[in-house]
Amino acid sequence: MRLLVFGTYDTATHPRVATIAEGLRAHGFDVTECNAPLGVDTAARVDTLAKPSRIPAFLATVLRRWCTLAKAARRLPKPDVVLVGYMGHFDVHLAKLLFRKVPIVLDHLIGARDTARDRRLDGGPRQAAMRLIDSAALRAADVIVVDTDEHRAALPVKHQDRAVVVAVGAPAAWFAEASSLPDGPLRVVFYGLYTPLQGAPVIGAALGLLAGAPVEVTMVGTGQDEAETKAAARANTAVRWLDWVPAGELPALVAGHDVCLGIFGTGEKALRVVPNKVFQGAAAGCAVVTSDTAPQRRALGDSALLVPPGDPAALADTLRSLADDRADLARLRAAAHLLATQRFAPDQVVTPLLERLGSTALMRS
């Protein structure tokens, strides 16, 4: 079966669709990409919403990328299925126009409305606009891919029957990096965009409480809550701050740490997701410490340490305990990696989507 991965997605910053494509390829799909990255990150998109004067420039960028995609699509064989990559709220409409009578799968990892709310852009006409964007995108898709049962339940009821839950998982490159580490201080890593969902200020406050403990921390990324996070961690001099790391180098960097931190936010969105860093950290052989939420508890079970969302003291105590108990650390690292190899690899996470794509009811005549 020929699958075309289509849109303005960027796998360097959002690897989700690459993992899906990798998994389907492992199951025998002939996977081709038609991709023209938009070059506008999530923060810039939200900023455009906050400053309507920037909308014309944003739409002009979208149209230029669409022209590139349309030209490229004409040179490709007709696909059996089109998968529109994450943040494809607009791209799904172009796909529907270009590939008539071809099933369209939308990777709807996070809705536009959820993203705006998480970035504290609530209320009024902006939220109404985001609802309209989400609604139109969902109507255009034949299959809607979400990442957790909670996200599926959050969709409008009329769209839930077309939704399939596919865990985020981790690309194969992350599994190749798992290795043993020398003794020494506990090495902890966090990477992300410092969004409210991630709860980075909670991490910062925990790091402040860990000043003087045998714990070395690498914090990777920049974003909305960065300044607050750094201020909360100011007392701790054993923290290394990196603006970012190229996507190709990130697996090796994470694998050089004992612990990978997940998310610790308390908002609605934070309570519905299992972030990519949890899957990737486990695949890289790290012990995983993240928030105790229903979807993360289901995904990780006792192969990770879960702490209450928004609780820096609990996070600090957990890291201090791991620094003191190397045997427990080794157990958790092994358990996380085993779980990842058994359940989080690309060929495993796409199983629900395979079942949906195999349904004759889906395929249009």
Side-chain angles (χ1 to χ4, degrees):
M1 183 179 291
R2 286 195 299 269
L3 173 86
L4 181 66
V5 189
F6 180 85
T8 58
Y9 59 87
D10 184 352
T11 57
T13 54
H14 299 111
R16 152 79 161 191
V17 72
T19 304
I20 294 176
E22 188 177 338
L24 293 176
R25 188 179 287 112
H27 284 278
F29 279 68
D30 179 4
V31 179
T32 304
E33 286 193 74
C34 187
N35 178 219
L38 192 61
V40 180
D41 64 17
T42 306
R45 296 180 197 223
V46 172
D47 192 48
T48 297
L49 184 62
K51 300 171 183 175
S53 62
R54 299 186 180 182
I55 291 177
F58 173 76
L59 293 178
T61 301
V62 171
L63 289 174
R64 286 195 296 271
R65 299 298 186 274
W66 278 14
C67 287
T68 299
L69 290 170
K71 290 177 183 177
R74 283 198 293 267
R75 297 192 294 268
L76 297 171
K78 183 179 179 181
D80 298 304
V81 180
V82 173
L83 169 63
V84 177
Y86 171 54
M87 300 193 79
H89 300 83
F90 298 122
D91 298 340
V92 67
H93 301 292
L94 178 62
K96 195 175 182 69
L97 179 65
L98 293 175
F99 305 102
R100 298 180 183 277
K101 296 187 178 181
V102 175
I104 305 296
V105 180
L106 174 64
D107 180 15
H108 192 68
L109 182 62
I110 300 293
R113 180 170 177 265
D114 263 356
T115 298
R117 291 181 67 184
D118 182 54
R119 301 302 179 101
R120 304 188 181 112
L121 198 61
D122 289 341
R126 296 189 185 98
Q127 279 293 306
M130 293 299 97
R131 282 196 297 271
L132 289 174
I133 290 170
D134 282 333
S135 179
L138 294 171
R139 284 198 308 271
D142 296 292
V143 175
I144 302 159
V145 177
V146 295
D147 63 323
T148 66
D149 292 333
E150 285 78 5
H151 269 145
R152 184 179 183 276
L155 295 175
V157 173
K158 62 184 177 182
H159 298 306
Q160 291 179 11
D161 286 346
R162 288 182 290 115
V164 58
V165 177
V166 175
V168 172
W174 286 84
F175 292 87
E177 298 295 342
S179 61
S180 60
L181 297 176
D183 291 335
L186 185 73
R187 301 169 186 87
V188 179
V189 65
F190 168 84
Y191 57 98
L193 300 175
Y194 289 81
T195 63
L197 173 148
Q198 295 171 354
V202 176
I203 299 174
L207 298 184
L209 295 172
L210 287 169
V215 179
E216 295 179 351
V217 182
T218 302
M219 299 286 289
V220 183
T222 60
Q224 185 173 348
D225 288 342
E226 179 186 2
E228 183 181 350
T229 303
K230 287 182 174 179
R234 187 177 295 118
N236 193 333
T237 58
V239 182
R240 177 174 60 147
W241 303 90
L242 302 177
D243 286 347
W244 197 237
V245 172
E249 299 175 13
L250 193 57
L253 182 140
V254 173
H257 292 77
D258 299 299
V259 175
C260 182
L261 297 178
I263 60 172
F264 302 92
T266 58
E268 291 181 14
K269 182 178 171 184
L271 302 181
R272 293 202 301 261
V273 306
V274 183
N276 60 3
K277 55 183 64 64
V278 162
F279 297 106
Q280 293 166 349
C286 295
V288 173
V289 179
T290 191
S291 54
D292 188 1
T293 63
Q296 295 195 98
R297 200 180 309 123
R298 279 200 312 273
L300 299 166
D302 59 3
S303 297
L305 291 178
L306 307 180
V307 301
D311 190 336
L315 176 56
D317 287 346
T318 297
L319 294 177
R320 190 178 289 108
S321 175
L322 285 175
D324 293 339
D325 191 340
R326 306 299 293 195
D328 193 38
L329 174 64
R331 178 190 66 80
L332 284 164
R333 293 187 64 202
H337 191 251
L338 178 61
L339 181 66
T341 58
Q342 292 176 339
R343 291 177 49 191
F344 301 159
D347 63 319
Q348 294 155 349
V349 297
V350 298
T351 299
L353 181 57
L354 284 171
E355 294 171 356
R356 183 61 63 93
L357 292 178
S359 169
T360 56
L362 167 67
M363 300 304 172
R364 295 177 179 175
S365 59

